[in-house]
Amino acid sequence: MIKKSCENFVFSYAPGKAILVGEHAVVYGAQAIAVPLDLGVRVAILPLDANGPIIKGIGSFCPSEALVWSIEQGPANIKLALQYLIENFGEKIKKIAILVDGSLPKGFGLGSSAAFSVALMRAIFNYFSISINNQMLIEHISALETIFHGAPSGIDHTVVLNSQVLGFKKKKSQSLSWPIYCKRPLKLVVGLVGPHEGTKNAVQKLRDRKRQHEKIYERIFGSLDELAIAMETSLKEGSLGAVGEFMNMAHGYLSALGVSTGELDHLCAIAKERGALGAKLTGAGGGGAVIALAENNEMEIMTAFRACGFISFTTSVVNKVDEHL
Ligand code: MEV
């Protein structure tokens, strides 16, 4: 089906993300801070002989399944995404195969859907030689993320698209993001507890809980907003002890909001026992991943996570060299 020898193919790559503070609260207007990861998603587009489009997951992106999705077959949101592409780019979309690979585990709150959306849209524009501006790109990526996540704040695809440490705030339908220059690199240890229940579900369930006790939830979101503002200052000053302390507090608030689990709490406790400066769940929660901020002890923390049976890896967040010139 996929043409074997074709000169016409393109590759695109986008990184994953982790949220240092402010997930969930950002949906209600609080400030959040997100970082790009040095793991990501790669998309290749190739011509297709048969009628498509198809999406084929390969390599480490889906090691255990022979994943081939199309308009007829696959999860509902993937079918909708393919339909969206046909509606917006026309019949030519039916003549492509989209191969997805990458180092980023999918479904763990590390931005795999945002990375996929960003890499896919860049690849499509490139493959069909469509000239784009940033605004067009953002509109299509937001539309795909809305299909995948319901009503996302936009923080995931914004950090993935910009690939730098960002402050982010959403006000009604507008959002504001700005680069944060971190004085010191951040060494993070990621621990995976298992695929999460899905961002859309987690956000909806929290919305339902909030409806019962509006004021109490608003206060927690307000506290997370204050934490994000304080963390931004600490990142700029290179006060990693304070960054870690704020991460611990953020995890406490996320537990209070009901999005943590016993396993996520357990991993945070292990990280702190092993000397992490701070640890928290990242992303929508209800499973997913924990990030721990290390201070030259990342191997020890990673080994401790692995010893308890959790997949773990290290990643570092470094500012781009020219970012602060
Ligand atoms: C998911 O990575 C972050 C959430 O705050 C949802 C969103 O902001 O769209 C849980």
Short mmCIF file of all heavy atoms in Angstrom, two decimals, residues 5-72:
data_model
loop_
_atom_site.label_atom_id
_atom_site.label_comp_id
_atom_site.label_asym_id
_atom_site.label_seq_id
_atom_site.Cartn_x
_atom_site.Cartn_y
_atom_site.Cartn_z
N SER A 5 9.45 2.75 -3.13
CA SER A 5 10.51 3.69 -3.45
C SER A 5 9.87 5.03 -3.81
O SER A 5 9.25 5.17 -4.84
CB SER A 5 11.33 3.17 -4.62
OG SER A 5 10.52 3.13 -5.75
N CYS A 6 9.95 5.94 -2.92
CA CYS A 6 9.33 7.22 -3.20
C CYS A 6 10.29 8.32 -2.78
O CYS A 6 10.83 8.29 -1.69
CB CYS A 6 8.02 7.34 -2.46
SG CYS A 6 8.18 6.87 -0.76
N GLU A 7 10.49 9.21 -3.71
CA GLU A 7 11.37 10.33 -3.39
C GLU A 7 10.61 11.35 -2.55
O GLU A 7 11.16 12.15 -1.83
CB GLU A 7 11.95 10.97 -4.66
CG GLU A 7 10.98 11.54 -5.67
CD GLU A 7 10.08 10.51 -6.36
OE1 GLU A 7 10.39 9.30 -6.36
OE2 GLU A 7 9.06 10.92 -6.89
N ASN A 8 9.24 11.24 -2.61
CA ASN A 8 8.42 12.26 -1.97
C ASN A 8 7.99 11.84 -0.56
O ASN A 8 6.93 11.28 -0.37
CB ASN A 8 7.18 12.50 -2.85
CG ASN A 8 6.34 13.63 -2.32
OD1 ASN A 8 6.80 14.40 -1.48
ND2 ASN A 8 5.11 13.71 -2.78
N PHE A 9 8.84 12.07 0.42
CA PHE A 9 8.40 11.84 1.78
C PHE A 9 9.04 12.89 2.68
O PHE A 9 10.07 13.46 2.34
CB PHE A 9 8.73 10.42 2.28
CG PHE A 9 10.19 10.19 2.51
CD1 PHE A 9 10.74 10.35 3.77
CD2 PHE A 9 11.02 9.79 1.47
CE1 PHE A 9 12.09 10.15 3.99
CE2 PHE A 9 12.37 9.58 1.69
CZ PHE A 9 12.91 9.76 2.94
N VAL A 10 8.39 13.17 3.82
CA VAL A 10 8.96 14.16 4.73
C VAL A 10 8.94 13.60 6.15
O VAL A 10 8.12 12.74 6.49
CB VAL A 10 8.15 15.49 4.73
CG1 VAL A 10 8.19 16.15 3.38
CG2 VAL A 10 6.73 15.28 5.19
N PHE A 11 9.86 14.11 6.98
CA PHE A 11 9.91 13.78 8.40
C PHE A 11 9.67 15.04 9.20
O PHE A 11 10.05 16.13 8.78
CB PHE A 11 11.31 13.29 8.80
CG PHE A 11 11.57 11.86 8.49
CD1 PHE A 11 12.42 11.51 7.45
CD2 PHE A 11 10.96 10.86 9.23
CE1 PHE A 11 12.66 10.19 7.16
CE2 PHE A 11 11.21 9.53 8.95
CZ PHE A 11 12.07 9.20 7.91
N SER A 12 9.11 14.87 10.37
CA SER A 12 9.00 16.00 11.28
C SER A 12 9.09 15.48 12.71
O SER A 12 8.76 14.31 12.97
CB SER A 12 7.65 16.69 11.05
OG SER A 12 7.50 17.73 11.95
N TYR A 13 9.54 16.33 13.61
CA TYR A 13 9.74 15.90 15.00
C TYR A 13 9.20 16.97 15.94
O TYR A 13 9.30 18.17 15.65
CB TYR A 13 11.25 15.71 15.26
CG TYR A 13 11.57 15.41 16.70
CD1 TYR A 13 11.50 14.11 17.19
CD2 TYR A 13 11.93 16.44 17.59
CE1 TYR A 13 11.79 13.83 18.52
CE2 TYR A 13 12.21 16.17 18.91
CZ TYR A 13 12.14 14.87 19.38
OH TYR A 13 12.40 14.61 20.69
N ALA A 14 8.63 16.56 17.06
CA ALA A 14 8.25 17.53 18.10
C ALA A 14 8.50 16.89 19.46
O ALA A 14 8.31 15.67 19.63
CB ALA A 14 6.79 17.93 17.96
N PRO A 15 8.93 17.69 20.44
CA PRO A 15 9.26 17.13 21.75
C PRO A 15 8.02 16.91 22.61
O PRO A 15 6.96 17.51 22.36
CB PRO A 15 10.14 18.22 22.37
CG PRO A 15 9.61 19.48 21.79
CD PRO A 15 9.17 19.13 20.38
N GLY A 16 8.17 16.11 23.65
CA GLY A 16 7.13 16.01 24.67
C GLY A 16 7.26 17.15 25.66
O GLY A 16 8.08 18.06 25.48
N LYS A 17 6.45 17.13 26.69
CA LYS A 17 6.49 18.22 27.70
C LYS A 17 6.23 17.66 29.09
O LYS A 17 5.66 16.56 29.26
CB LYS A 17 5.47 19.31 27.38
CG LYS A 17 4.00 18.84 27.38
CD LYS A 17 3.34 18.81 28.75
CE LYS A 17 2.09 17.98 28.76
NZ LYS A 17 1.46 17.52 29.86
N ALA A 18 6.66 18.43 30.09
CA ALA A 18 6.24 18.15 31.47
C ALA A 18 5.78 19.47 32.07
O ALA A 18 6.30 20.54 31.71
CB ALA A 18 7.41 17.58 32.27
N ILE A 19 4.80 19.39 32.95
CA ILE A 19 4.32 20.61 33.60
C ILE A 19 4.94 20.67 35.01
O ILE A 19 4.83 19.71 35.78
CB ILE A 19 2.78 20.63 33.64
CG1 ILE A 19 2.24 20.68 32.20
CG2 ILE A 19 2.27 21.83 34.44
CD1 ILE A 19 0.74 20.75 32.06
N LEU A 20 5.64 21.76 35.28
CA LEU A 20 6.31 21.90 36.59
C LEU A 20 5.33 22.36 37.66
O LEU A 20 5.49 22.04 38.83
CB LEU A 20 7.44 22.94 36.50
CG LEU A 20 8.70 22.59 35.72
CD1 LEU A 20 9.74 23.71 35.89
CD2 LEU A 20 9.30 21.26 36.18
N VAL A 21 4.37 23.14 37.25
CA VAL A 21 3.35 23.61 38.20
C VAL A 21 2.14 24.12 37.40
O VAL A 21 2.31 24.66 36.31
CB VAL A 21 3.89 24.75 39.11
CG1 VAL A 21 4.31 25.98 38.32
CG2 VAL A 21 2.90 25.17 40.19
N GLY A 22 0.95 23.88 37.91
CA GLY A 22 -0.23 24.54 37.35
C GLY A 22 -1.16 23.71 36.49
O GLY A 22 -2.14 24.25 35.97
N GLU A 23 -0.88 22.38 36.30
CA GLU A 23 -1.86 21.61 35.51
C GLU A 23 -3.22 21.67 36.22
O GLU A 23 -3.29 21.84 37.43
CB GLU A 23 -1.42 20.15 35.28
CG GLU A 23 -0.98 19.36 36.47
CD GLU A 23 0.49 19.53 36.73
OE1 GLU A 23 1.31 18.75 36.22
OE2 GLU A 23 0.81 20.45 37.52
N HIS A 24 -4.23 21.54 35.48
CA HIS A 24 -5.63 21.68 35.91
C HIS A 24 -5.98 23.13 36.29
O HIS A 24 -6.92 23.69 35.74
CB HIS A 24 -5.99 20.71 37.05
CG HIS A 24 -6.09 19.30 36.58
ND1 HIS A 24 -7.11 18.87 35.76
CD2 HIS A 24 -5.28 18.21 36.80
CE1 HIS A 24 -6.93 17.57 35.48
NE2 HIS A 24 -5.82 17.16 36.09
N ALA A 25 -5.18 23.72 37.21
CA ALA A 25 -5.49 25.10 37.60
C ALA A 25 -5.44 26.02 36.38
O ALA A 25 -6.19 27.01 36.28
CB ALA A 25 -4.50 25.56 38.66
N VAL A 26 -4.56 25.69 35.42
CA VAL A 26 -4.40 26.52 34.21
C VAL A 26 -5.70 26.59 33.40
O VAL A 26 -5.98 27.59 32.75
CB VAL A 26 -3.21 25.98 33.37
CG1 VAL A 26 -3.53 24.63 32.71
CG2 VAL A 26 -2.76 26.97 32.32
N VAL A 27 -6.50 25.54 33.48
CA VAL A 27 -7.78 25.52 32.76
C VAL A 27 -8.70 26.62 33.29
O VAL A 27 -9.55 27.15 32.58
CB VAL A 27 -8.45 24.12 32.92
CG1 VAL A 27 -9.85 24.08 32.34
CG2 VAL A 27 -7.57 23.03 32.30
N TYR A 28 -8.51 26.99 34.57
CA TYR A 28 -9.35 28.00 35.23
C TYR A 28 -8.65 29.35 35.37
O TYR A 28 -8.99 30.15 36.23
CB TYR A 28 -9.81 27.48 36.60
CG TYR A 28 -10.60 26.19 36.45
CD1 TYR A 28 -9.97 24.96 36.54
CD2 TYR A 28 -11.96 26.22 36.14
CE1 TYR A 28 -10.67 23.78 36.34
CE2 TYR A 28 -12.67 25.05 35.95
CZ TYR A 28 -12.03 23.83 36.05
OH TYR A 28 -12.73 22.67 35.85
N GLY A 29 -7.60 29.55 34.57
CA GLY A 29 -7.00 30.88 34.51
C GLY A 29 -5.76 31.08 35.37
O GLY A 29 -5.20 32.18 35.40
N ALA A 30 -5.29 30.02 36.07
CA ALA A 30 -4.07 30.18 36.88
C ALA A 30 -2.84 30.11 35.98
O ALA A 30 -2.88 29.51 34.90
CB ALA A 30 -4.00 29.08 37.93
N GLN A 31 -1.75 30.70 36.46
CA GLN A 31 -0.49 30.58 35.72
C GLN A 31 0.05 29.15 35.84
O GLN A 31 -0.14 28.50 36.88
CB GLN A 31 0.54 31.57 36.28
CG GLN A 31 1.88 31.47 35.54
CD GLN A 31 2.88 32.52 35.98
OE1 GLN A 31 2.51 33.66 36.25
NE2 GLN A 31 4.15 32.15 36.04
N ALA A 32 0.73 28.69 34.80
CA ALA A 32 1.39 27.38 34.85
C ALA A 32 2.76 27.51 34.21
O ALA A 32 3.04 28.50 33.51
CB ALA A 32 0.57 26.33 34.10
N ILE A 33 3.63 26.54 34.51
CA ILE A 33 4.97 26.52 33.88
C ILE A 33 5.21 25.14 33.29
O ILE A 33 5.00 24.12 33.98
CB ILE A 33 6.08 26.87 34.90
CG1 ILE A 33 5.86 28.28 35.47
CG2 ILE A 33 7.46 26.75 34.26
CD1 ILE A 33 6.83 28.68 36.57
N ALA A 34 5.63 25.11 32.04
CA ALA A 34 5.88 23.81 31.38
C ALA A 34 7.26 23.82 30.74
O ALA A 34 7.79 24.88 30.37
CB ALA A 34 4.81 23.55 30.32
N VAL A 35 7.82 22.63 30.62
CA VAL A 35 9.16 22.50 30.01
C VAL A 35 9.10 21.48 28.88
O VAL A 35 8.34 20.52 28.94
CB VAL A 35 10.22 22.03 31.06
CG1 VAL A 35 10.34 23.02 32.20
CG2 VAL A 35 9.91 20.64 31.59
N PRO A 36 9.92 21.68 27.83
CA PRO A 36 9.99 20.65 26.78
C PRO A 36 10.88 19.50 27.26
O PRO A 36 11.78 19.72 28.07
CB PRO A 36 10.65 21.39 25.61
CG PRO A 36 11.46 22.46 26.25
CD PRO A 36 10.79 22.83 27.54
N LEU A 37 10.62 18.31 26.78
CA LEU A 37 11.45 17.16 27.16
C LEU A 37 12.40 16.81 26.02
O LEU A 37 12.14 17.16 24.86
CB LEU A 37 10.56 15.95 27.45
CG LEU A 37 9.61 16.09 28.64
CD1 LEU A 37 8.73 14.85 28.76
CD2 LEU A 37 10.38 16.32 29.94
N ASP A 38 13.47 16.09 26.34
CA ASP A 38 14.34 15.68 25.23
C ASP A 38 13.93 14.31 24.68
O ASP A 38 14.73 13.57 24.14
CB ASP A 38 15.83 15.76 25.59
CG ASP A 38 16.14 15.10 26.90
OD1 ASP A 38 15.29 14.31 27.38
OD2 ASP A 38 17.23 15.34 27.45
N LEU A 39 12.67 13.97 24.86
CA LEU A 39 12.05 12.81 24.19
C LEU A 39 10.94 13.38 23.33
O LEU A 39 10.35 14.40 23.70
CB LEU A 39 11.41 11.88 25.22
CG LEU A 39 12.32 11.30 26.29
CD1 LEU A 39 11.52 11.11 27.56
CD2 LEU A 39 12.91 10.00 25.83
N GLY A 40 10.61 12.70 22.24
CA GLY A 40 9.57 13.28 21.40
C GLY A 40 8.92 12.29 20.45
O GLY A 40 9.07 11.08 20.60
N VAL A 41 8.19 12.84 19.50
CA VAL A 41 7.43 12.05 18.53
C VAL A 41 7.89 12.44 17.13
O VAL A 41 8.08 13.62 16.84
CB VAL A 41 5.92 12.33 18.67
CG1 VAL A 41 5.13 11.69 17.53
CG2 VAL A 41 5.40 11.81 20.01
N ARG A 42 8.09 11.44 16.28
CA ARG A 42 8.51 11.67 14.91
C ARG A 42 7.40 11.23 13.97
O ARG A 42 6.81 10.16 14.18
CB ARG A 42 9.75 10.81 14.65
CG ARG A 42 10.75 11.42 13.72
CD ARG A 42 12.07 10.72 13.85
NE ARG A 42 11.91 9.29 14.01
CZ ARG A 42 12.74 8.40 13.48
NH1 ARG A 42 13.75 8.81 12.77
NH2 ARG A 42 12.57 7.10 13.67
N VAL A 43 7.12 12.07 13.00
CA VAL A 43 6.08 11.72 12.02
C VAL A 43 6.73 11.73 10.63
O VAL A 43 7.48 12.64 10.30
CB VAL A 43 4.93 12.75 12.07
CG1 VAL A 43 4.03 12.62 10.85
CG2 VAL A 43 4.09 12.56 13.33
N ALA A 44 6.43 10.70 9.85
CA ALA A 44 6.85 10.70 8.44
C ALA A 44 5.59 10.62 7.60
O ALA A 44 4.64 9.93 7.96
CB ALA A 44 7.74 9.51 8.16
N ILE A 45 5.57 11.34 6.49
CA ILE A 45 4.45 11.22 5.56
C ILE A 45 4.97 10.68 4.24
O ILE A 45 5.99 11.15 3.71
CB ILE A 45 3.74 12.58 5.36
CG1 ILE A 45 3.11 12.98 6.69
CG2 ILE A 45 2.67 12.47 4.26
CD1 ILE A 45 2.18 14.14 6.61
N LEU A 46 4.28 9.67 3.76
CA LEU A 46 4.66 9.00 2.50
C LEU A 46 3.43 8.90 1.62
O LEU A 46 2.30 8.87 2.11
CB LEU A 46 5.16 7.58 2.78
CG LEU A 46 6.48 7.41 3.51
CD1 LEU A 46 6.28 7.41 5.00
CD2 LEU A 46 7.11 6.10 3.09
N PRO A 47 3.68 8.79 0.31
CA PRO A 47 2.52 8.60 -0.59
C PRO A 47 1.92 7.21 -0.41
O PRO A 47 2.62 6.27 -0.04
CB PRO A 47 3.12 8.74 -1.98
CG PRO A 47 4.57 8.85 -1.84
CD PRO A 47 4.95 8.87 -0.41
N LEU A 48 0.63 7.13 -0.67
CA LEU A 48 -0.10 5.88 -0.49
C LEU A 48 -0.79 5.53 -1.81
O LEU A 48 -1.43 6.39 -2.42
CB LEU A 48 -1.14 6.12 0.61
CG LEU A 48 -1.94 4.97 1.17
CD1 LEU A 48 -1.02 4.04 1.96
CD2 LEU A 48 -3.02 5.51 2.10
N ASP A 49 -0.70 4.28 -2.24
CA ASP A 49 -1.35 3.85 -3.48
C ASP A 49 -2.86 3.69 -3.29
O ASP A 49 -3.65 4.10 -4.11
CB ASP A 49 -0.77 2.50 -3.94
CG ASP A 49 0.40 2.73 -4.88
OD1 ASP A 49 0.49 3.84 -5.42
OD2 ASP A 49 1.22 1.81 -5.03
N ALA A 50 -3.21 3.07 -2.16
CA ALA A 50 -4.62 2.77 -1.91
C ALA A 50 -5.33 4.01 -1.37
O ALA A 50 -4.73 5.08 -1.25
CB ALA A 50 -4.71 1.65 -0.90
N ASN A 51 -6.62 3.83 -1.02
CA ASN A 51 -7.34 4.96 -0.46
C ASN A 51 -7.09 5.08 1.03
O ASN A 51 -7.28 4.13 1.78
CB ASN A 51 -8.84 4.77 -0.72
CG ASN A 51 -9.40 5.97 -1.42
OD1 ASN A 51 -8.68 6.93 -1.73
ND2 ASN A 51 -10.69 5.94 -1.69
N GLY A 52 -6.65 6.19 1.47
CA GLY A 52 -6.34 6.42 2.87
C GLY A 52 -7.14 7.56 3.39
O GLY A 52 -8.24 7.77 2.92
N PRO A 53 -6.65 8.35 4.30
CA PRO A 53 -5.30 8.24 4.85
C PRO A 53 -5.22 7.12 5.89
O PRO A 53 -6.23 6.71 6.44
CB PRO A 53 -5.11 9.60 5.53
CG PRO A 53 -6.48 10.00 5.94
CD PRO A 53 -7.41 9.44 4.91
N ILE A 54 -3.99 6.67 6.17
CA ILE A 54 -3.81 5.75 7.29
C ILE A 54 -2.76 6.32 8.23
O ILE A 54 -1.90 7.11 7.82
CB ILE A 54 -3.39 4.34 6.83
CG1 ILE A 54 -2.07 4.38 6.05
CG2 ILE A 54 -4.48 3.66 6.03
CD1 ILE A 54 -1.41 3.01 5.93
N ILE A 55 -2.87 5.89 9.48
CA ILE A 55 -1.84 6.22 10.47
C ILE A 55 -1.25 4.88 10.91
O ILE A 55 -1.99 3.97 11.28
CB ILE A 55 -2.43 6.94 11.69
CG1 ILE A 55 -3.01 8.29 11.28
CG2 ILE A 55 -1.39 7.12 12.79
CD1 ILE A 55 -3.51 9.13 12.45
N LYS A 56 0.05 4.79 10.87
CA LYS A 56 0.69 3.55 11.28
C LYS A 56 1.68 3.87 12.38
O LYS A 56 2.57 4.70 12.20
CB LYS A 56 1.40 2.96 10.04
CG LYS A 56 1.83 1.53 10.15
CD LYS A 56 2.19 1.05 8.73
CE LYS A 56 2.91 -0.25 8.62
NZ LYS A 56 2.97 -1.18 9.65
N GLY A 57 1.47 3.26 13.53
CA GLY A 57 2.41 3.44 14.64
C GLY A 57 3.53 2.44 14.49
O GLY A 57 3.28 1.26 14.26
N ILE A 58 4.76 2.90 14.61
CA ILE A 58 5.88 1.97 14.44
C ILE A 58 6.88 2.15 15.57
O ILE A 58 6.81 3.12 16.33
CB ILE A 58 6.60 2.17 13.08
CG1 ILE A 58 7.02 3.65 12.90
CG2 ILE A 58 5.74 1.74 11.91
CD1 ILE A 58 7.89 3.89 11.68
N GLY A 59 7.80 1.22 15.68
CA GLY A 59 8.92 1.33 16.61
C GLY A 59 8.47 1.49 18.04
O GLY A 59 7.45 0.93 18.46
N SER A 60 9.19 2.30 18.80
CA SER A 60 8.94 2.37 20.24
C SER A 60 7.65 3.11 20.57
O SER A 60 7.18 3.09 21.69
CB SER A 60 10.12 3.07 20.91
OG SER A 60 10.34 4.29 20.27
N PHE A 61 7.05 3.78 19.58
CA PHE A 61 5.81 4.51 19.88
C PHE A 61 4.68 3.53 20.21
O PHE A 61 3.78 3.85 20.96
CB PHE A 61 5.41 5.41 18.70
CG PHE A 61 4.43 6.48 19.09
CD1 PHE A 61 4.81 7.50 19.95
CD2 PHE A 61 3.14 6.48 18.61
CE1 PHE A 61 3.91 8.49 20.33
CE2 PHE A 61 2.23 7.46 18.97
CZ PHE A 61 2.63 8.47 19.83
N CYS A 62 4.71 2.37 19.62
CA CYS A 62 3.71 1.35 19.97
C CYS A 62 4.35 -0.01 19.78
O CYS A 62 4.06 -0.72 18.81
CB CYS A 62 2.45 1.50 19.15
SG CYS A 62 2.79 1.62 17.43
N PRO A 63 5.27 -0.38 20.67
CA PRO A 63 6.04 -1.60 20.47
C PRO A 63 5.19 -2.87 20.48
O PRO A 63 5.51 -3.83 19.81
CB PRO A 63 7.02 -1.60 21.65
CG PRO A 63 6.50 -0.61 22.61
CD PRO A 63 5.60 0.32 21.88
N SER A 64 4.09 -2.86 21.21
CA SER A 64 3.39 -4.13 21.43
C SER A 64 2.20 -4.33 20.50
O SER A 64 1.52 -5.32 20.58
CB SER A 64 2.93 -4.19 22.87
OG SER A 64 2.06 -3.11 23.08
N GLU A 65 1.88 -3.34 19.68
CA GLU A 65 0.69 -3.50 18.85
C GLU A 65 1.02 -3.18 17.39
O GLU A 65 1.83 -2.32 17.10
CB GLU A 65 -0.44 -2.60 19.34
CG GLU A 65 0.07 -1.23 19.70
CD GLU A 65 -0.98 -0.34 20.34
OE1 GLU A 65 -2.15 -0.44 20.01
OE2 GLU A 65 -0.58 0.48 21.17
N ALA A 66 0.37 -3.89 16.50
CA ALA A 66 0.52 -3.56 15.09
C ALA A 66 -0.56 -2.54 14.80
O ALA A 66 -1.70 -2.87 14.48
CB ALA A 66 0.33 -4.80 14.24
N LEU A 67 -0.21 -1.30 14.97
CA LEU A 67 -1.23 -0.27 14.92
C LEU A 67 -1.38 0.31 13.50
O LEU A 67 -0.44 0.88 12.98
CB LEU A 67 -0.81 0.80 15.93
CG LEU A 67 -1.61 2.07 16.13
CD1 LEU A 67 -1.28 2.65 17.49
CD2 LEU A 67 -1.34 3.08 15.06
N VAL A 68 -2.53 0.08 12.90
CA VAL A 68 -2.82 0.76 11.63
C VAL A 68 -4.24 1.31 11.75
O VAL A 68 -5.20 0.56 11.89
CB VAL A 68 -2.75 -0.20 10.42
CG1 VAL A 68 -3.00 0.59 9.13
CG2 VAL A 68 -1.39 -0.88 10.34
N TRP A 69 -4.33 2.63 11.75
CA TRP A 69 -5.63 3.28 11.90
C TRP A 69 -6.03 3.98 10.60
O TRP A 69 -5.18 4.48 9.87
CB TRP A 69 -5.60 4.31 13.02
CG TRP A 69 -5.48 3.71 14.39
CD1 TRP A 69 -5.97 2.51 14.82
CD2 TRP A 69 -4.81 4.29 15.52
NE1 TRP A 69 -5.66 2.32 16.14
CE2 TRP A 69 -4.95 3.40 16.60
CE3 TRP A 69 -4.11 5.48 15.72
CZ2 TRP A 69 -4.42 3.65 17.86
CZ3 TRP A 69 -3.59 5.74 16.97
CH2 TRP A 69 -3.75 4.84 18.03
N SER A 70 -7.34 4.02 10.37
CA SER A 70 -7.84 4.75 9.19
C SER A 70 -9.19 5.36 9.59
O SER A 70 -9.62 5.24 10.73
CB SER A 70 -8.04 3.77 8.04
OG SER A 70 -9.05 2.84 8.39
N ILE A 71 -9.86 5.96 8.60
CA ILE A 71 -11.18 6.54 8.88
C ILE A 71 -12.15 5.45 9.33
O ILE A 71 -13.05 5.68 10.12
CB ILE A 71 -11.73 7.22 7.60
CG1 ILE A 71 -10.83 8.35 7.18
CG2 ILE A 71 -13.18 7.64 7.77
CD1 ILE A 71 -11.21 9.71 7.60
N GLU A 72 -11.97 4.24 8.79
CA GLU A 72 -12.91 3.14 9.11
C GLU A 72 -12.55 2.45 10.40
O GLU A 72 -13.41 1.91 11.10
CB GLU A 72 -12.91 2.06 8.00
CG GLU A 72 -13.53 2.47 6.68
CD GLU A 72 -12.57 3.29 5.83
OE1 GLU A 72 -11.36 3.02 5.90
OE2 GLU A 72 -13.02 4.20 5.12
#
